[in-house]
Amino acid sequence: MTRPGRTHTTEVVYRLYETVDELTTVIENARSVPMSSSCMVPRDHVLDLLDDLRESLPEDVQAAGAIVEQRTEILQQAQAEAERLTTQTREEAERLLEAARRQRDEVLGAARRQRDEVLAQAQADTEQLLLEAESEAEVLLADGRHRREAMIAEALGEHERLITETEVYRTAVDRADELGARAHADAARMRAEVDEYVDTRLADFGTALERMLRSVEKARTTLRE
């Protein structure tokens, strides 16, 4: 037993084939156009055949056609949305890029200003340090000159003192030599005087001793008589 749906589908297919065959016959029997590969067909008849062909299409095919048309519309809408998003994205990217450029310019400007300020401050600090260094150098040079002059004066004073002390030493040495010579002379003189005194005293003692001996001898002689 044949199912009703399948029978309807078979009839639709037969009708499609018949319409296609008739359309093929019309085109094959059409009058040729001279000097070309085209042909002349009866427009109304061909359009009627195409209408029959369209009406003979199954509902699934018609639904598929509607889906294709809907797909085309969806694709067109998607294409339009994609173009809109692309344009919007491009505009947003350009806006962000422009904002980034402005921010970059602002950052670079601030960096340049800060660099100029730092360089100016460094230049001012350098000049101040140079002035302070020059002032300190002048103070050190003045102090060095003062110390040098003081050392020279002290050295000259020490030199004069040493010369003076040397002269005093020489004078003292000469005086000591003179006093030593005098002491030696006085000692020799005193030694001579002492020797002379002792010799005189011994001579006197010898004379007295001789007198005493003579007296003793005389007394002995008297005693013996």
Side-chain angles (χ1 to χ4, degrees), residues 60 131 134 140 145 165 182 184 191 195 215 220:
D60 294 339
L131 291 175
E134 291 176 356
L140 292 175
R145 294 190 189 97
E165 289 181 355
R182 288 183 181 180
H184 285 296
R191 188 180 297 108
D195 291 342
S215 296
R220 289 179 66 192

Side-chain angles (χ1 to χ4, degrees), residues 11-176:
E11 291 177 356
V12 170
V13 172
Y14 284 153
R15 191 166 54 191
L16 285 174
Y17 275 115
E18 290 176 355
T19 304
V20 171
D21 290 339
E22 187 176 357
L23 184 59
T24 302
T25 301
V26 170
I27 294 173
E28 288 177 350
N29 296 327
R31 185 185 304 174
S32 299
V33 177
M35 305 297 294
S36 69
S37 60
S38 300
C39 64
M40 298 176 62
V41 295
R43 178 182 299 172
D44 294 336
H45 189 194
V46 172
L47 291 176
D48 290 338
L49 291 175
L50 291 175
D51 289 337
D52 292 339
L53 183 62
R54 185 178 296 107
E55 291 175 356
S56 299
L57 290 175
E59 294 179 358
D60 294 339
V61 175
Q62 293 179 3
I67 292 173
V68 171
E69 292 178 357
Q70 187 178 3
R71 172 180 173 275
T72 302
E73 183 179 357
I74 292 172
L75 289 176
Q76 291 176 352
Q77 292 177 356
Q79 182 67 25
E81 182 67 16
E83 292 177 356
R84 186 185 66 80
L85 290 175
T86 301
T87 303
Q88 183 179 358
T89 303
R90 187 180 296 109
E91 292 176 354
E92 182 68 17
E94 291 177 355
R95 186 182 64 80
L96 292 175
L97 184 59
E98 183 64 24
R101 290 195 185 98
R102 288 196 302 270
Q103 187 176 4
R104 179 201 61 187
D105 295 338
E106 291 176 358
V107 171
L108 289 176
R112 292 190 184 97
R113 289 191 297 272
Q114 186 176 4
R115 179 201 61 188
D116 295 338
E117 292 176 358
V118 171
L119 290 176
Q121 185 64 35
Q123 183 67 25
D125 293 341
T126 301
E127 293 176 356
Q128 182 65 28
L129 289 174
L130 288 175
L131 291 175
E132 293 177 358
E134 291 176 356
S135 178
E136 185 69 18
E138 291 178 357
V139 172
L140 292 175
L141 287 174
D143 184 67
R145 294 190 189 97
H146 178 71
R147 291 187 179 184
R148 183 192 64 184
E149 293 174 357
M151 291 175 67
I152 291 174
E154 184 179 358
L156 291 175
E158 184 68 15
H159 178 69
E160 292 177 357
R161 185 184 65 80
L162 290 174
I163 291 175
T164 302
E165 289 181 355
T166 301
E167 292 178 353
V168 171
Y169 174 75
R170 289 177 180 175
T171 303
V173 170
D174 294 339
R175 182 64 177 169

